[in-house]
Coordinates of all heavy atoms in Angstrom, one line a residue:
Chain U
D252 N 67.8 97.7 116.7 CA 67.5 96.5 117.5 C 68.0 95.2 116.9 O 68.6 94.4 117.6 CB 65.9 96.4 117.7 CG 65.6 95.5 118.9 OD1 66.4 95.3 119.8 OD2 64.5 95.0 118.9
E259 N 75.4 90.6 120.4 CA 75.4 89.8 121.6 C 76.0 88.4 121.3 O 76.0 87.5 122.2 CB 74.0 89.7 122.1 CG 73.5 91.0 122.6 CD 72.1 90.9 123.1 OE1 71.5 89.8 123.1 OE2 71.5 92.0 123.6
Q274 N 80.4 109.9 122.8 CA 80.6 109.1 124.0 C 79.5 108.0 124.1 O 79.8 106.9 124.6 CB 80.4 110.1 125.2 CG 80.6 109.5 126.6 CD 82.1 109.1 126.8 OE1 83.0 109.9 126.6 NE2 82.3 107.8 127.1
T281 N 81.5 99.5 123.4 CA 82.6 98.9 124.1 C 82.1 98.1 125.4 O 82.8 97.3 125.9 CB 83.6 99.9 124.5 OG1 83.0 101.0 125.2 CG2 84.3 100.5 123.3
N282 N 80.9 98.5 125.9 CA 80.3 97.7 127.0 C 80.0 96.3 126.7 O 79.9 95.5 127.5 CB 79.1 98.4 127.5 CG 79.4 99.5 128.5 OD1 80.5 99.6 129.0 ND2 78.4 100.4 128.8
Y283 N 79.9 96.0 125.4 CA 79.7 94.6 124.9 C 81.0 93.9 124.9 O 81.1 92.7 124.7 CB 79.1 94.6 123.5 CG 77.6 94.8 123.4 CD1 77.1 96.0 123.2 CD2 76.7 93.7 123.6 CE1 75.7 96.2 123.1 CE2 75.4 93.9 123.5 CZ 74.9 95.1 123.2 OH 73.5 95.3 123.1
R286 N 85.4 96.1 120.0 CA 86.3 97.2 119.6 C 85.5 98.0 118.6 O 84.8 97.5 117.7 CB 87.5 96.6 118.9 CG 88.5 97.6 118.4 CD 89.6 96.8 117.6 NE 90.9 97.5 117.8 CZ 91.8 97.4 116.8 NH1 91.6 96.8 115.7 NH2 93.0 98.0 117.0
L287 N 85.6 99.4 118.7 CA 84.9 100.3 117.9 C 85.8 101.0 117.0 O 86.8 101.6 117.5 CB 84.0 101.3 118.7 CG 83.2 102.3 117.9 CD1 82.1 101.6 117.2 CD2 82.7 103.4 118.8
Y288 N 85.6 101.0 115.7 CA 86.4 101.9 114.8 C 85.4 103.0 114.4 O 84.3 102.8 113.8 CB 86.9 101.2 113.6 CG 87.8 102.1 112.8 CD1 89.2 102.0 113.0 CD2 87.3 103.0 111.9 CE1 90.0 102.9 112.4 CE2 88.2 103.9 111.3 CZ 89.5 103.8 111.5 OH 90.4 104.7 110.9
S289 N 85.8 104.2 114.7 CA 85.0 105.4 114.5 C 85.5 106.3 113.4 O 86.7 106.6 113.4 CB 84.8 106.1 115.8 OG 84.0 107.2 115.7
D290 N 84.7 106.8 112.6 CA 85.1 107.9 111.6 C 83.8 108.6 111.2 O 82.7 108.1 111.3 CB 85.8 107.2 110.4 CG 86.5 108.3 109.6 OD1 86.6 109.4 110.0 OD2 87.0 107.9 108.5
R294 N 82.0 113.7 106.7 CA 83.1 114.8 106.8 C 84.2 114.4 105.8 O 84.8 115.3 105.1 CB 83.6 114.8 108.2 CG 84.8 115.7 108.4 CD 85.2 115.7 109.9 NE 86.5 116.4 110.1 CZ 86.7 117.1 111.2 NH1 85.8 117.4 112.1 NH2 87.9 117.7 111.3
Q295 N 84.5 113.1 105.7 CA 85.5 112.7 104.7 C 85.1 112.9 103.3 O 85.9 113.3 102.4 CB 85.9 111.2 104.9 CG 86.2 110.8 106.3 CD 87.6 111.2 106.7 OE1 88.2 112.1 106.1 NE2 88.2 110.6 107.7
L328 N 91.6 107.6 102.3 CA 91.3 108.3 103.5 C 90.2 107.6 104.4 O 90.4 107.5 105.6 CB 90.8 109.7 103.1 CG 90.7 110.7 104.2 CD1 92.1 111.1 104.8 CD2 90.0 112.0 103.7
R390 N 73.7 108.8 117.5 CA 74.3 108.2 118.7 C 73.4 107.2 119.3 O 72.2 107.3 119.3 CB 74.5 109.3 119.8 CG 75.5 110.3 119.4 CD 75.2 111.6 120.0 NE 76.1 112.6 119.5 CZ 76.3 113.8 120.0 NH1 75.6 114.2 121.0 NH2 77.1 114.7 119.4
H394 N 69.7 99.7 122.9 CA 69.7 98.8 121.8 C 68.6 99.1 120.7 O 68.6 98.6 119.6 CB 69.5 97.4 122.3 CG 68.2 97.1 122.9 ND1 67.1 96.6 122.3 CD2 67.8 97.3 124.2 CE1 66.1 96.5 123.2 NE2 66.5 96.9 124.3
Chain Y
D414 N 94.8 104.9 116.8 CA 94.1 103.8 117.6 C 94.4 104.0 119.1 O 95.5 104.3 119.5 CB 94.6 102.4 117.1 CG 94.3 102.2 115.7 OD1 93.3 102.8 115.2 OD2 95.0 101.4 115.0
I420 N 87.4 106.0 128.5 CA 87.5 107.1 127.5 C 86.4 108.1 127.7 O 85.2 107.7 128.0 CB 87.5 106.6 126.1 CG1 87.8 107.7 125.1 CG2 86.2 105.8 125.8 CD1 88.1 107.2 123.7
V421 N 86.7 109.4 127.6 CA 85.7 110.5 127.6 C 85.9 111.3 126.3 O 86.9 111.8 126.0 CB 85.9 111.4 128.8 CG1 84.9 112.5 128.8 CG2 85.8 110.6 130.1
I422 N 84.8 111.4 125.6 CA 84.8 112.1 124.3 C 83.8 113.2 124.4 O 82.6 112.9 124.5 CB 84.6 111.3 123.1 CG1 85.6 110.1 123.0 CG2 84.6 112.1 121.8 CD1 85.3 109.2 121.8
D424 N 81.4 116.3 123.1 CA 80.7 116.7 121.8 C 81.6 117.7 121.1 O 82.1 118.7 121.8 CB 79.4 117.3 122.1 CG 78.3 116.3 122.4 OD1 78.6 115.1 122.2 OD2 77.2 116.6 122.9
Y427 N 86.9 115.6 117.4 CA 87.0 114.8 116.2 C 87.9 113.6 116.5 O 89.0 113.8 117.0 CB 87.5 115.6 115.0 CG 87.8 114.7 113.8 CD1 86.7 114.2 113.0 CD2 89.0 114.3 113.4 CE1 86.9 113.4 112.0 CE2 89.2 113.5 112.3 CZ 88.1 113.0 111.6 OH 88.3 112.2 110.5
F428 N 87.4 112.4 116.2 CA 88.2 111.2 116.4 C 88.1 110.3 115.3 O 87.0 110.0 114.8 CB 87.8 110.5 117.7 CG 88.5 109.2 117.9 CD1 89.9 109.1 118.1 CD2 87.8 108.0 117.7 CE1 90.5 107.9 118.2 CE2 88.4 106.8 117.8 CZ 89.8 106.7 118.0
K429 N 89.2 109.8 114.8 CA 89.2 108.8 113.7 C 90.2 107.7 114.1 O 91.3 108.0 114.3 CB 89.7 109.4 112.4 CG 89.8 108.5 111.2 CD 90.4 109.2 110.1 CE 90.9 108.3 109.0 NZ 89.8 107.9 108.1
G430 N 89.6 106.5 114.3 CA 90.5 105.4 114.7 C 89.7 104.4 115.5 O 88.5 104.5 115.6
S431 N 90.4 103.5 116.0 CA 89.7 102.4 116.8 C 89.9 102.6 118.3 O 90.8 103.3 118.7 CB 90.3 101.0 116.4 OG 91.6 100.9 116.8
I432 N 88.9 102.1 119.0 CA 88.9 102.2 120.5 C 88.8 100.8 121.1 O 87.9 100.1 120.8 CB 87.8 103.1 121.0 CG1 87.9 104.5 120.4 CG2 87.8 103.1 122.5 CD1 86.6 105.3 120.6
D433 N 89.9 100.5 121.8 CA 89.9 99.2 122.5 C 89.8 99.5 124.0 O 90.7 100.2 124.5 CB 91.2 98.5 122.3 CG 91.0 97.4 121.2 OD1 90.0 96.8 121.2 OD2 92.0 97.2 120.5
I434 N 88.8 99.1 124.7 CA 88.7 99.3 126.1 C 89.3 98.1 126.8 O 88.9 96.9 126.6 CB 87.2 99.5 126.6 CG1 86.6 100.7 125.9 CG2 87.2 99.6 128.1 CD1 87.3 102.0 126.2
R436 N 89.9 96.2 130.0 CA 89.4 96.0 131.3 C 90.5 95.6 132.3 O 91.2 94.6 131.9 CB 88.2 95.0 131.4 CG 87.2 95.2 130.3 CD 86.2 96.2 130.6 NE 85.3 96.4 129.6 CZ 84.5 97.5 129.4 NH1 84.7 98.5 130.2 NH2 83.7 97.6 128.4
V468 N 74.8 95.3 129.6 CA 75.0 94.9 128.2 C 73.9 94.0 127.6 O 73.8 93.9 126.4 CB 76.3 94.1 128.1 CG1 77.5 95.0 128.5 CG2 76.4 92.9 129.0
R470 N 70.0 92.8 126.9 CA 68.6 93.4 126.8 C 67.7 92.6 127.7 O 67.9 91.5 128.0 CB 68.1 93.3 125.4 CG 68.8 94.3 124.5 CD 68.3 94.3 123.1 NE 68.7 93.1 122.5 CZ 68.1 92.5 121.5 NH1 66.9 92.9 121.1 NH2 68.5 91.4 120.9

Side-chain angles (χ1 to χ4, degrees):
Chain U
D252 194 25
E259 296 179 1
Q274 184 69 54
T281 58
N282 276 345
Y283 280 95
R286 181 186 213 209
L287 180 70
Y288 188 93
S289 181
D290 194 6
R294 177 179 167 140
Q295 307 285 19
L328 190 67
R390 291 150 190 194
H394 65 95
Chain Y
D414 297 336
I420 184 166
V421 176
I422 302 176
D424 281 351
Y427 176 71
F428 171 70
K429 175 186 167 82
S431 67
I432 299 168
D433 261 324
I434 301 297
R436 312 280 178 200
V468 296
R470 285 182 289 152

